[in-house]
Amino acid sequence: MITEKVMFFVFASVLVFAALRVITARNPVHSALFLVLAFFSSSALWILLQAEFLAITLVLVYVGAVMVLFLFVVMMLDINLTKLREGFIKYLPVGATVALLIIAEMIIVLNANFGANKITSPMIHGPGYSNTAAIGGVMYTDYLYPFEIAAVILLVAIIAAIVLTLRRKVGAKSQSPAAQVQVRKSDRLRVVKMPVERKEIGQ
Amino acid sequence: MIELLIILAKIIVIVAPLLLAVAYLTFAERKIIGYMQGRIGPNRVGPRGWLQPIADALKLLFKEIIVPTNANRFLFVLAPILSIGPALAAWAVIPFDAHLVLANIDASLLYVLALTSVGVYGVIIAGWASNSKYAFLGAMRSAAQIVAYEIAMGFALVGVLMAAHSINLRDIVLAQSGGIVHWFWLPLLPLFLVYFISGVAETNRAPFDVAEGESEIVAGFHVEYSGMMFAVFFLAEYANIILISVLAALLFWGGWLSPFQGIPYLEGWFAVVPGTVWLLAKSAFFSFCFLWFRATFPRYRYDQIMRLGWKVFIPITIVWLVVLGIAIVSKVPPWFN
């Protein structure tokens, strides 16, 4: 139990540190890498809660795919940070108002629903417990419709993203592999039969 | 305390032979490709060249490590570590026999998939931190390639877990017991091909080695690395080859199960062979295929790689998942009854 607590505090402090560095790091690539670290630490916290399926999926989806794409984009863009910081004073009142509102809302919600006395400590399951099977069972019975609706929304988002960005350029040249494969010798090459020609000597 | 020491000993028992296998896979690669090209390959160091990998390792150890100017020193050093870490950590859940596994965790297939996808960070960070155009190009190529093939690979593995009703590697192998026709290669043949080719692409091996692409971008992401740091990238690549081979054997070719199971006489004669030997033999064949591909195929053009990943493999896997679902629901013998 004591090791679990120590590990929780280690991972939680790494998580908070990494999350802070995401917004304070000067280099956007460093920010993205700190976000990766944050995902890893939160995945470790989920493992401590015996939610191994969620933890591994977090690493697989967010670290393995989403953040790779993020890094890809961030590395390609040459972001000039001094330019981005120019309007800091100008936007400060609006930003501060929004931040204060969010903080106030969070205080209200957290006070009402959370707290050491309001939440029961998580159940500690025996060795036979499978978090994967438990999630699967709930997802395909109790939460079947929300799950399916979420999937459809994601599908719509994928199609929308493709429709918005797919522009066929007029006159763009591209290869058609199907046509390339189907080419036969007779389409390209004409064998001509002709009599042997001799070079006449001495003329 | 004693428990920790036992786990540590088990880790050493797995990692030490693995690193030896990696060293000799490099030797095997040079020898095999040599013979395929009508050469002899390394034959000077030790009897018939058998000490060549050790000589290579010593040479790389004594070389100077050069950090390029204006490179990000911390990330430059971190990149090889991020590359080898996941390649070794994935071995924690690989079962070598029905009871021979370091950590028999519930979601071991997912764990392996997650770790192999994390390995790309080594390549990306190396390319970015090197402060070199060629390295950066290699990193960009690798990032796009791995994202494309990861999806196809994930879908292929979804087929495996549908057929086995489990994401635990041990249970997946046990679900294949009953003889060579019961192994998943037969009902999942398209998925196996997609998985193995994606595995070649994920390890950045020929014919998908555009991240290195020595004829275009010198050596790609590790062009600025020298000495032992370069060697660590090399070790990670070969450890990943062996990992993909072992996974192919476990997921599609019955793992440690004997190929003579269910055949009269032969089953009895080969009963003395321990399961680990079968697993190693199957994995060795797939590792050989990696070397064979490198000697056989020319490098894919970059747009062809993208086309193969997105437009060929992903549709194949999706169609086969539907076919597989129908087969499982209608209980097609001998696999799903």
Side-chain angles (χ1 to χ4, degrees):
Chain A
M1 205 59 215
I2 191 80
T3 29
E4 239 171 65
K5 266 190 182 150
V6 170
M7 281 167 88
F8 169 79
F9 281 111
V10 168
F11 285 122
S13 43
V14 171
L15 173 59
V16 172
F17 167 75
L20 280 175
R21 289 296 286 151
V22 171
I23 51 172
T24 53
R26 286 192 164 264
N27 193 325
V29 174
H30 290 181
S31 295
L33 290 174
F34 274 114
L35 193 52
V36 172
L37 182 61
F39 281 136
F40 255 113
S41 322
S42 45
S43 155
L45 289 184
W46 281 357
I47 292 250
L48 287 179
L49 288 171
Q50 296 183 314
E52 82 275 358
F53 180 78
L54 288 177
I56 297 173
T57 314
L58 181 74
V59 172
L60 178 63
V61 175
Y62 281 91
V63 178
V66 173
M67 286 315 293
V68 172
L69 287 177
F70 260 58
L71 267 180
F72 189 88
V73 174
V74 167
M75 283 177 179
M76 296 284 269
L77 301 173
D78 194 17
I79 298 172
N80 191 348
L81 278 176
T82 46
K83 219 172 195 178
L84 280 178
R85 278 164 207 265
E86 261 175 9
F88 184 72
I89 301 293
K90 207 170 96 188
Y91 295 119
L92 188 62
V94 183
T97 323
V98 172
L100 283 176
L101 267 177
I102 292 174
I103 290 170
E105 282 174 359
M106 282 176 82
I107 287 173
I108 293 167
V109 171
L110 290 177
N111 257 344
N113 299 325
F114 290 89
N117 50 347
K118 291 189 181 104
I119 288 186
T120 50
S121 58
M123 236 188 289
I124 293 174
H125 303 282
Y129 170 78
S130 165
N131 170 253
T132 317
I135 287 179
V138 173
M139 194 181 267
Y140 288 102
T141 52
D142 294 357
Y143 296 99
L144 180 64
Y145 288 120
F147 177 60
E148 297 278 324
I149 291 168
V152 170
I153 291 173
L154 281 176
L155 183 67
V156 170
I158 293 170
I159 295 170
I162 293 172
V163 168
L164 285 175
T165 52
L166 184 72
R167 297 193 188 91
R168 289 206 181 280
K169 272 188 201 156
V170 184
K173 288 178 181 171
S174 66
Q175 294 174 324
S176 160
Q180 285 177 324
V181 169
Q182 279 175 348
V183 163
R184 293 286 162 266
K185 194 170 76 178
S186 53
D187 301 340
R188 299 272 170 90
L189 189 75
R190 191 164 54 94
V191 181
V192 185
K193 276 250 185 280
M194 57 185 295
V196 182
E197 285 185 40
R198 273 175 208 275
K199 194 176 175 188
E200 299 296 324
I201 301 163
Q203 274 191 346
Chain B
M1 200 61 216
I2 294 294
E3 264 179 58
L4 273 179
L5 282 178
I6 290 173
I7 293 175
L8 205 64
K10 281 181 181 171
I11 293 173
I12 292 169
V13 167
I14 293 176
V15 169
L18 176 68
L19 289 181
L20 203 66
V22 164
Y24 274 91
L25 187 61
T26 64
F27 179 62
E29 171 164 46
R30 294 168 70 179
K31 272 287 188 194
I32 288 168
I33 294 181
Y35 280 117
M36 282 181 179
Q37 295 170 346
R39 300 181 282 115
I40 295 175
N43 66 343
R44 294 288 111 180
V45 190
R48 290 180 164 264
W50 276 96
L51 296 179
Q52 184 68 43
I54 293 155
D56 286 342
L58 281 177
K59 181 198 79 173
L60 287 166
L61 263 176
F62 286 115
K63 273 190 161 183
E64 186 188 354
I65 290 172
I66 299 162
V67 180
T69 20
N70 288 333
N72 188 320
R73 205 186 168 86
F74 176 72
L75 288 180
F76 188 78
V77 177
L78 187 71
I81 301 167
L82 280 182
S83 183
I84 188 115
L88 295 181
W91 286 87
V93 298
I94 300 288
F96 296 97
D97 202 338
H99 304 289
L100 209 61
V101 53
L102 179 62
N104 186 18
I105 64 169
D106 229 6
S108 45
L109 181 62
L110 265 182
Y111 170 82
V112 170
L113 192 64
L115 276 185
T116 46
S117 65
V118 168
V120 66
Y121 279 96
V123 175
I124 298 178
I125 292 175
W128 186 76
S130 294
N131 189 30
S132 154
K133 286 192 180 71
Y134 290 130
F136 187 64
L137 282 173
M140 290 290 103
R141 288 178 173 197
S142 178
Q145 178 181 325
I146 286 190
V147 168
Y149 280 85
E150 183 117 324
I151 297 170
M153 198 180 208
F155 269 126
L157 297 183
V158 168
V160 174
L161 66 92
M162 275 169 74
H165 297 291
S166 173
I167 49 173
N168 178 287
L169 285 170
R170 181 172 170 269
D171 293 347
I172 288 172
V173 174
L174 291 179
Q176 301 178 48
S177 54
I180 197 161
V181 279
H182 288 79
W183 296 353
F184 286 155
W185 66 276
L186 201 54
L188 303 181
L189 189 60
L191 296 186
F192 166 67
L193 292 176
V194 168
Y195 168 77
F196 197 57
I197 298 171
S198 306
V200 178
E202 288 244 318
T203 46
N204 284 326
R205 291 284 301 179
F208 300 100
D209 57 345
V210 287
E212 283 181 51
E214 57 275 78
S215 55
E216 306 140 30
I217 51 172
V218 198
F221 62 95
H222 57 50
V223 66
E224 303 290 348
Y225 282 85
S226 62
M228 211 51 211
M229 281 164 79
F230 166 75
V232 168
F233 273 120
F234 220 66
L235 284 178
E237 180 178 328
Y238 284 84
N240 274 324
I241 291 177
I242 301 177
L243 181 68
I244 295 284
S245 309
V246 170
L247 280 176
L250 284 172
L251 299 174
F252 296 96
W253 293 85
W256 59 80
L257 300 172
S258 158
F260 301 114
Q261 208 175 9
I263 303 172
Y265 302 117
L266 278 175
E267 185 182 2
W269 294 342
F270 283 95
V272 286
V273 181
T276 315
V277 173
W278 291 121
L279 179 65
L280 290 183
K282 290 166 190 173
S283 324
F285 172 73
F286 291 120
S287 300
F288 172 74
C289 286
F290 273 86
L291 312 182
W292 194 2
F293 293 157
R294 183 168 168 199
T296 311
F297 295 116
R299 182 177 300 133
Y300 261 103
R301 214 174 53 209
Y302 191 71
D303 62 311
Q304 291 172 332
I305 291 183
M306 284 297 134
R307 184 180 162 272
L308 187 70
W310 288 105
K311 294 188 179 173
V312 180
F313 281 174
I314 293 176
I316 287 179
T317 49
I318 291 175
V319 167
W320 203 257
L321 286 186
V322 174
V323 172
L324 190 66
I326 294 169
I328 290 171
V329 169
S330 49
K331 298 192 189 316
V332 175
W335 308 291
F336 307 121
N337 50 0

